[in-house]
Amino acid sequence: MPQTLRSRFALTLAIVVMLGATTLLWVTPGMTTLALWLLALANLAAMRGIWPLACLLAFGVLGMLAPGMLSYLLPEAWLPTASWQRLAEHFLPDATTETLRAPLLTTVALQLTALSLILQLRARLGAPLLSASAALLLGLQGIEPALYPGFSPLLDYATSWPVLILHAALLTAQVVHALPYWRGKRRYLAVTLWSTLAVVGFSLLLWQQLHLHAERALYQRAETRVQTLATQLSREITAHLDAMRRFARTWELQSTPPSYAQWVQQAEGYQKDFDYLINMAFITSDSGIRQVYPATPLNLSTLGLRLFDAQPAGRRALEPALNGEREGSTDIIQLLQGERGMIHYLPVKNEQQAPIGAAAMVISFPQLADTLFKQLTDAEGIIQWHSDEQILAVYGDTRHPGPWIYHHQVMLGDKALTLSDRPRRNYLLSQLPRLPTLSLVLGLTFAYLVYLVIYSFKRLGYQHRAMLQSNTSLQQEIRTRSQLQREIEWLASHDELTGIPNRRHFLDHVSAHRSKRPLSLALFDIDHFKRVNDQLGHLVGDDYLAHIALLGEALMEQHGGIFARYGGEEFVALLPGLNMDAARKLADTLRLQVIDTCLTHADGKPITLSAGVVSVTDPQPFDMTRLMQTADKALYRAKREGRNQIATGGIDD
Ligand SMILES: Nc1nc2c(ncn2[C@@H]2O[C@H](COP(=O)(O)OP(=O)(O)OP(=O)(O)O)[C@@H](O)[C@H]2O)c(=O)[nH]1
């Protein structure tokens, strides 16, 4: 995608997210929507190049989410859930702890997105890893419900779908905007990113397992509370029934129905032990209430009532007891005392085992519940005691219930009752271990540090390799240039056609040896060379020149001299240490060698050369021009006197 199109796409996406976030903030104001809105604004600022504003807004998001993050991380002893609750209620009367914080994974994902922006999306500061981790967290939130089949977690981990989609779109816009900055670093970025993302993936997996385990453990711990309560209730009921049976059997020792005094004497002790027994009554065979205990006005007002008429709902349980067949319990009924409760009827027989009536034990559920529940701390949750749809007793704080509800069956006589417990959210939160969240944060931090280390290492390695490469090519370049330099220098000091030193090189050589004595100079000229060119062509002429040059060079160098092309068909030799005679002989040797080479004119005559030799013996400095002129004169003389010979001249002549 071309750069301009990409920037336009990122900007459009960020604007769309901004509009969406504004709508969400309006519809469902809260920490999450506000943070998303600020983040969208920060991204827009970054895309317009206003980095200070972008960073300021991103810092705002971090700061806003920081207290919530701390509440997920810090131990309960340091930052109690109750303090959070008080703080929340300080702002909003109906608020909960969740009002002040975004869901856990959402908080982390938003913070990573903000952090990536604060680092100005720079790859070397870890922005790609932060963005990729945020994307993983978004993905995890998307599949979060599927991770806990049949279990609703206590903590809010994921945000709503609209926020999730907008956050994903914002992250896409941010990454598309940053792609050009990251592209140049692809070589070392890819390895670093994939390896550290593996660390992030592992820490997410670890966190998921740890927190699921922590929540399940808490779920089970909370369940034991209702189990303990149900066991206590069953124990209480068993003790209560045993006591009532003992009470009913005491009358088997006498032949007459109990008198009021006897009834009071017996009942008094039992009623003290089971204070939720609001009435212990003796019922005669015709279902009339004969004796009551305690003698409260309400109980006394029931005296003489025929239960078959006054309380027909209890007849099913009362009749078998009156007939001496079996004990029985009523359903949950409205008691004559006005409360909800249950009456347990027990047969009362005389010493002949003949039924003489029944003992009615009237249990008030509210009072039974009070007896049991007073041992509990009310802040832990709501406990309900119910039968079918009827709620018999409610205990505890009904505000901010948690997600978990436990049911336990308790048999009261032959009646099955349900005890349900719904622990409060804040109570559960205070019990939830912080270790899983800590492991998540430490895992992400570790991955980030690993990223920085690998990235720097890879980058340095790459830079080192690039440096070595450029060093090698630099050395190659130096070699090429040196070679070129040598060639240029050679060309500047040598004659291209013959390959021997040229006039400039010769003059340099003279400067170096001008103090040497004796010092001789010989000037050579090929005889009638024009004819060679004219008759045999320039190419042959060139060839002859090259041939004679090599001959001269070899010979003069052999004698410690230098042989150079002076111009055209003229050559010059400087012979340090050679006097006139030796120089003349050497010049003559060259003349003879040339004749011997079989270089010929068109008519078959050999090519010859003439030379003018001059020598300096005086240690005084000499004039080079003069020396050359003298040699030239001698050469001229040699030409004039018939060519193919050597003439000498004195510099002082
Ligand atoms: N092929 C060839 N010819 C050259 C070169 N440089 C000079 N010449 C020729 O050398 C010739 C020199 O001729 P002249 O100066 O008239 O002398 P000459 O014919 O050698 O006669 P003398 O010197 O009097 O014996 C000219 O024809 C030049 O063109 C060269 O590099 N290659």
Side-chain angles (χ1 to χ4, degrees):
M1 204 192 287
Q3 173 63 30
T4 45
L5 202 63
R6 193 186 298 117
S7 314
R8 220 171 283 165
F9 170 73
L11 188 66
T12 315
L13 203 55
I15 292 172
V16 170
V17 173
M18 180 76 212
L19 293 175
T22 311
T23 317
L24 270 185
L25 188 61
W26 183 260
V27 179
T28 52
M31 273 287 165
T32 314
T33 44
L34 182 59
L36 184 72
W37 185 82
L38 282 176
L39 211 51
L41 202 62
N43 262 285
L44 279 178
M47 282 169 195
R48 302 315 299 163
I50 319 168
W51 279 105
L53 179 64
C55 288
L56 196 73
L57 289 166
F59 267 120
V61 173
L62 278 190
M64 229 178 74
L65 296 172
M69 195 63 220
L70 285 179
S71 76
Y72 285 118
L73 277 175
L74 294 182
E76 177 68 14
W78 294 6
L79 189 62
T81 312
S83 306
W84 269 103
Q85 182 60 44
R86 274 197 299 279
L87 190 68
E89 283 171 1
H90 179 75
F91 291 113
L92 278 173
D94 294 334
T96 65
T97 42
E98 306 311 321
T99 316
L100 292 188
R101 62 186 187 186
L104 175 62
L105 295 181
T106 314
T107 303
V108 181
L110 284 168
Q111 284 184 322
L112 290 178
T113 316
L115 212 55
S116 175
L117 212 57
I118 288 169
L119 299 175
Q120 300 200 354
L121 306 170
R122 283 189 194 142
R124 73 185 161 86
L125 297 180
L129 176 71
L130 298 179
S131 301
S133 305
L136 276 183
L137 283 163
L138 287 179
L140 191 60
Q141 287 181 75
I143 59 164
E144 198 251 3
L147 296 176
Y148 320 105
F151 182 75
S152 49
L154 170 66
L155 270 191
D156 283 346
Y157 294 104
T159 183
S160 63
W161 273 105
V163 174
L164 214 55
I165 290 167
L166 285 179
H167 191 174
L170 187 64
L171 201 60
T172 309
Q174 192 172 298
V175 170
V176 169
H177 175 65
L179 271 181
Y181 307 122
W182 300 346
R183 191 149 290 158
K185 289 118 188 163
R186 216 184 313 181
R187 274 184 207 86
Y188 36 90
L189 182 61
V191 180
T192 315
L193 193 58
W194 288 121
S195 50
T196 45
L197 266 182
V199 180
V200 173
F202 176 75
S203 49
L204 285 182
L205 200 68
L206 183 72
W207 165 79
Q208 200 271 334
Q209 286 301 309
L210 282 177
H211 101 80
L212 188 62
H213 175 76
E215 289 224 1
R216 282 200 194 284
L218 182 62
Y219 181 88
Q220 278 158 12
R221 198 139 38 95
E223 193 170 28
T224 53
R225 187 170 89 129
V226 72
Q227 277 172 348
T228 312
L229 199 63
T231 311
Q232 277 176 0
L233 190 57
S234 297
R235 237 184 256 142
E236 183 76 25
I237 289 165
T238 310
H240 155 96
L241 285 175
D242 287 349
M244 283 197 295
R245 285 181 195 119
R246 279 199 304 280
F247 176 78
R249 276 202 297 275
T250 53
W251 311 111
E252 289 179 6
L253 300 172
Q254 60 183 55
S255 52
T256 53
S259 66
Y260 176 69
Q262 286 173 322
W263 190 255
V264 170
Q265 192 192 0
Q266 282 295 323
E268 207 171 19
Y270 288 100
Q271 211 271 337
K272 259 190 206 135
D273 290 343
F274 306 103
D275 55 2
Y276 46 84
L277 283 178
I278 55 169
N279 190 8
M280 297 172 77
F282 178 68
I283 315 296
T284 55
S285 308
D286 60 351
S287 83
I289 301 176
R290 169 74 65 84
Q291 314 291 2
V292 291
Y293 184 83
T296 59
L298 272 176
N299 284 345
L300 291 173
S301 68
T302 62
L303 276 173
L305 287 177
R306 278 191 82 247
L307 283 173
F308 286 160
D309 304 327
Q311 206 169 49
R315 184 172 187 140
R316 190 186 49 79
L318 177 57
E319 216 161 24
L322 285 176
N323 295 337
E325 293 163 7
R326 60 173 187 275
E327 62 185 54
S329 303
T330 63
D331 286 333
I332 313 301
I333 56 170
Q334 191 75 28
L335 300 173
L336 294 173
Q337 287 79 2
E339 298 169 27
R340 280 198 162 277
M342 179 188 262
I343 307 169
H344 200 73
Y345 292 110
L346 295 115
V348 176
K349 297 177 182 170
N350 61 14
E351 55 188 347
Q352 286 83 36
Q353 290 299 302
I356 55 171
M361 304 293 172
V362 183
I363 301 167
S364 156
F365 278 129
Q367 287 190 34
L368 175 60
D370 272 357
T371 309
L372 288 168
F373 298 160
K374 67 185 168 196
Q375 327 156 23
L376 301 170
T377 321
D378 63 21
E380 290 181 8
I382 315 149
I383 293 186
Q384 282 188 345
W385 197 10
H386 49 98
S387 154
D388 305 325
E389 295 304 302
Q390 285 183 34
I391 295 174
L392 308 174
V394 178
Y395 184 78
D397 196 339
T398 53
R399 288 174 310 141
H400 315 310
W404 302 331
I405 182 156
Y406 308 92
H407 301 289
H408 217 279
Q409 251 195 7
V410 179
M411 293 304 292
L412 185 57
D414 54 359
K415 186 81 193 157
L417 300 177
T418 306
L419 194 65
S420 64
D421 182 14
R422 187 162 196 184
R424 293 185 70 200
R425 189 176 186 79
N426 285 347
Y427 164 70
L428 291 172
L429 284 177
S430 70
Q431 303 290 308
L432 191 68
R434 308 310 199 238
L435 187 70
T437 314
L438 199 64
S439 82
L440 175 68
V441 173
L442 288 180
L444 290 176
T445 312
F446 177 68
Y448 180 71
L449 293 178
V450 171
Y451 174 95
L452 292 186
V453 171
I454 299 183
Y455 187 90
S456 309
F457 185 74
K458 288 270 165 200
R459 190 159 149 245
L460 281 178
Y462 174 73
Q463 284 176 346
H464 182 69
R465 275 195 302 281
M467 216 169 67
L468 281 182
Q469 236 168 36
S470 75
N471 203 19
T472 312
S473 59
L474 202 71
Q475 280 176 349
Q476 180 64 37
E477 180 71 17
I478 289 170
R479 272 199 296 277
T480 313
R481 278 171 189 262
S482 306
Q483 175 70 22
L484 211 63
Q485 175 78 14
R486 276 198 297 278
E487 279 176 24
I488 290 169
E489 276 172 13
W490 189 90
L491 281 174
S493 60
H494 287 75
D495 174 54
E496 206 179 347
L497 176 70
T498 60
I500 64 168
N502 59 15
R503 184 200 290 235
R504 180 193 295 175
H505 186 71
F506 173 77
L507 292 176
D508 287 347
H509 197 77
V510 170
S511 306
H513 292 88
R514 60 185 307 135
S515 56
K516 187 90 182 161
R517 297 291 182 273
L519 180 73
S520 298
L521 186 141
L523 196 60
F524 297 88
D525 190 292
I526 303 170
D527 299 329
H528 300 302
F529 192 66
K530 188 173 179 309
R531 260 192 246 161
V532 175
N533 278 336
D534 293 348
Q535 292 167 0
L536 300 173
H538 266 78
L539 285 180
V540 175
D542 284 352
D543 198 36
Y544 282 13
L545 281 173
H547 210 96
I548 292 166
L550 288 178
L551 268 181
E553 186 181 39
L555 185 66
M556 300 306 157
E557 278 183 5
Q558 209 180 336
H559 291 83
I562 179 173
F563 190 71
R565 188 175 177 194
Y566 199 66
E569 88 292 20
E570 280 185 348
F571 297 94
V572 65
L574 185 76
L575 302 161
L578 263 67
N579 59 20
M580 175 67 90
D581 197 38
R584 198 192 56 75
K585 273 187 189 152
L586 199 60
D588 204 46
T589 308
L590 180 61
R591 187 184 64 80
L592 294 171
Q593 279 184 357
V594 169
I595 294 170
D596 289 346
T597 52
C598 305
L599 301 176
T600 57
H601 286 277
D603 55 7
K605 285 185 182 162
I607 293 289
T608 58
L609 52 77
S610 305
V613 178
V614 65
S615 195
V616 186
T617 48
D618 187 354
Q620 292 299 313
F622 60 87
D623 180 9
M624 185 61 196
T625 314
R626 190 129 177 249
L627 191 71
M628 283 303 297
Q629 280 172 352
T630 311
D632 198 44
K633 270 187 203 164
L635 174 63
Y636 179 70
R637 215 171 334 114
K639 288 271 182 187
R640 207 181 49 206
E641 287 172 6
R643 296 180 173 84
N644 191 19
Q645 56 188 279
I646 311 298
T648 57
I651 192 166
D652 304 321
D653 293 348

